[in-house]
Amino acid sequence: MKEHETVVQLSMPADAQFIDVARLTLYGLAAKMGFSYEEIEDMKVAVSEACNNAVLHAYNGRGGVIHLRFEMRADALSIIIKDEGKGFDYKRAAKQAAPLSAKPLEDVKAGGLGLFLMEALMDDVTVTTKGGTEVRLTKFRHRGEGEHAHDSISPSSVQEQA
């Protein structure tokens, strides 16, 4: 663990009915860190996509586990979604799916756009496919004018309270 970083970990069954648990955990942590409603909604969609991919593809319908790790830093929140199922060729999948604008509509396949959605919604997305699939989603805190002022936690304030 890096200095000034707080980590929350969660393991849950790779079952669609538990994706809400990941979303609720994310909401609670991101709200306490001071992210805006819109930023939180974007993160929830990206995390749902990553968890859904693990549920649908990692274990071929057999039971499995999804591990989530929330790394809270002063400037960012990273969410790592890891499964221990079968990995996939991320580079090949990315190459086959893009660019969509050059394809006629009838040639576009449904599905397979989750990674691009995650990349559009998050500031940084990294996929590792050794020993399962690990998706690292990062959203940086953008402080600006008009930001709502409310109590928020930072990794240093958590350590000070302990």
Side-chain angles (χ1 to χ4, degrees):
M1 184 164 63
K2 298 174 188 163
E3 188 176 335
H4 304 293
E5 179 180 85
T6 300
V7 174
V8 174
Q9 297 183 77
L10 170 68
S11 293
M12 61 184 201
D15 187 317
Q17 69 181 340
F18 290 98
I19 293 175
D20 283 347
V21 175
R23 291 170 54 94
L24 288 168
T25 303
L26 168 63
Y27 173 80
L29 297 174
K32 288 186 177 293
M33 287 181 68
F35 283 98
S36 71
Y37 175 79
E38 291 81 11
E39 291 170 320
I40 293 170
E41 288 301 308
D42 287 351
M43 287 188 276
K44 284 170 47 181
V45 170
V47 166
S48 295
E49 284 294 323
C51 290
N52 193 48
N53 283 343
V55 168
L56 293 175
H57 304 294
Y59 299 105
N60 289 328
R62 287 179 247 133
V65 176
I66 300 172
H67 304 283
L68 290 103
R69 178 180 170 96
F70 300 86
E71 297 176 351
M72 301 161 42
R73 298 185 312 272
D75 66 335
L77 173 61
S78 292
I79 308 104
I80 296 90
I81 301 94
K82 170 95 174 111
D83 66 61
E84 296 163 354
K86 65 175 186 144
F88 71 105
D89 188 345
Y90 169 69
K91 289 181 181 175
R92 194 181 103 229
K95 187 177 178 181
Q96 287 178 341
L100 292 177
S101 59
K103 294 182 180 181
L105 187 56
E106 58 270 5
D107 291 344
V108 175
K109 294 179 184 175
L113 300 178
L115 292 169
F116 295 102
L117 182 59
M118 288 181 251
E119 289 174 347
L121 296 172
M122 301 298 289
D123 295 322
D124 187 48
V125 177
T126 306
V127 179
T128 308
T129 57
K130 290 185 180 178
T133 301
E134 178 179 290
V135 179
R136 173 182 281 272
L137 307 169
T138 301
K139 179 68 89 172
F140 294 101
R141 290 177 58 183
H142 302 287
R143 298 267 177 205
E145 264 187 61
E147 183 174 323
H148 55 284
H150 67 278
D151 292 334
S152 62
I153 62 170
S154 67
S156 58
S157 69
V158 171
Q159 292 169 353
E160 291 169 7
Q161 293 174 3

